Amino acid sequence: MARSDGDGDGSTDGTGTGSREPALVRSVDRAVTALEVVAARGEVGITELAEELGVHKSTASRLVAALARRGMLEQQGDRGRISLGFGVVRLAASATGRMDLARLGQPTCQQLAEEVGETVNLAVHDGEAAINVAQEFGTSSVTTRNWVGRRTPLHATSAGKVLLAYMGDAERRAFLRRRLPRYTDATITEAGALRTELARVVDEGHARSFEELEVGLHAVAVPVWGQGGDVVAALSAAGPSYRLPRRRARAIVPDLRAAAEDLSTRLGWISGTD
């Protein structure tokens, strides 16, 4: 396999102007390929890996060092053989956990949607946002908007508020120091006001979003607990404001709580551990 002359940091994009993006893309591609090679072979040496990647040993060594710093790869003692690190295990466990949550949560969403007639979503915390991992349309739904895989703002959605309210204190404080985007006139963008709202969420055990993300959209959400007694997701029901007015949104909270408790139990949660 032909080797490149190095990392390619001085490459161009074909227009005669320098571009960092192609080099960055190549670096990411090499990193993923390196992980795949090591995963397939169990252990490899630097020379062997360099040949597979088509780069010089020095480039392969720098790549391995970078991945090792993040726990993705590790070198086995004095032999210098390279194997996968526990960082890969953490990523795999996270992905598996979400897939299990989505699989277990789908029947819950389906049953709850039938009961309340509105669109039901199951969302998890994903960095600075919430991401929906399961959804079911209710019998009263007039649209088929797919929210699965969509990232939504934590501060402007009922599910996001639940996840914010129950996350660790340090992480929540860091989030509240950020600028909070406004989506409608009802969006809470002031940190003090949001802090008060989150305290109410914990006190009442549910969160509400009345036209805070979109005009005409109401939603209510409750926490889903995991085996360790932590909140791992938020279960929400959403609908148009004319069909899910504030009074009805509050009235269906017990239905959401019952469904969330059933899902929490199937996830290994034992009542009283929260």
Side-chain angles (χ1 to χ4, degrees):
M1 182 180 294
R3 295 183 179 181
S4 66
D5 292 331
D7 291 334
D9 292 335
S11 64
T12 65
D13 58 7
T15 62
T17 60
S19 172
R20 294 181 60 85
E21 184 176 350
L24 176 61
V25 171
R26 278 196 298 274
S27 295
V28 172
D29 185 67
R30 285 173 183 166
V32 173
T33 302
L35 293 173
E36 291 176 341
V37 169
V38 176
R41 302 192 181 184
E43 288 186 0
V44 296
I46 285 290
T47 300
E48 185 180 358
L49 182 61
E51 290 177 351
E52 284 290 331
L53 298 177
V55 300
H56 290 296
K57 286 179 61 177
S58 60
T59 300
S61 294
R62 289 196 296 272
L63 179 60
V64 168
L67 290 170
R69 283 195 296 271
R70 304 304 296 267
M72 299 295 132
L73 293 177
E74 60 182 40
Q75 289 189 283
Q76 303 297 318
D78 297 333
R79 294 181 302 154
R81 302 288 288 178
I82 303 156
S83 63
L84 292 179
F86 282 101
V88 174
V89 177
R90 288 196 302 271
L91 292 178
S94 176
T96 301
R98 287 189 180 185
M99 287 187 288
D100 286 344
L101 182 60
R103 177 177 56 82
L104 292 173
Q106 192 64 48
T108 298
C109 290
Q110 182 176 357
Q111 181 177 348
L112 183 60
E114 292 175 356
E115 292 175 3
V116 302
E118 306 295 348
T119 299
V120 173
N121 280 284
L122 185 67
V124 297
H125 180 210
D126 187 55
E128 298 180 7
I131 186 167
N132 294 286
V133 297
Q135 173 182 273
E136 191 68 35
F137 298 108
T139 55
S140 300
S141 298
V142 294
T143 65
T144 56
R145 185 174 183 181
N146 188 0
W147 291 79
V148 174
R150 179 177 174 183
R151 290 166 60 85
T152 56
L154 294 173
H155 69 292
T157 60
S158 60
K161 289 180 188 178
V162 166
L163 298 171
L164 260 179
Y166 289 95
M167 72 171 48
D169 291 341
E171 190 175 7
R172 183 170 55 252
R173 284 195 298 269
F175 180 88
L176 291 173
R177 286 196 292 268
R178 301 186 180 99
R179 185 184 70 83
L180 302 176
R182 180 177 296 280
Y183 297 94
T184 71
D185 290 341
T187 307
I188 301 175
T189 59
E190 200 276 320
L194 183 56
R195 194 176 293 110
T196 299
E197 173 75 355
L198 297 178
R200 184 202 62 75
V201 170
V202 174
D203 183 57
E204 298 183 6
H206 72 277
R208 305 182 292 263
S209 175
F210 297 139
E211 300 189 280
E212 295 178 41
L213 179 63
E214 295 180 7
V215 173
L217 179 65
H218 284 185
V220 61
V222 298
V224 175
W225 304 87
Q227 185 175 12
D230 296 322
V231 171
V232 296
L235 185 65
S236 66
S241 56
Y242 69 84
R243 197 176 62 236
L244 189 63
R246 298 180 181 226
R247 178 177 296 181
R248 181 166 181 261
R250 294 185 178 95
I252 65 174
V253 168
D255 296 313
L256 268 76
R257 282 181 177 154
E261 183 171 339
D262 177 68
L263 176 56
S264 298
T265 300
R266 285 188 283 124
L267 290 171
W269 171 76
I270 300 175
S271 180
T273 61
D274 56 315

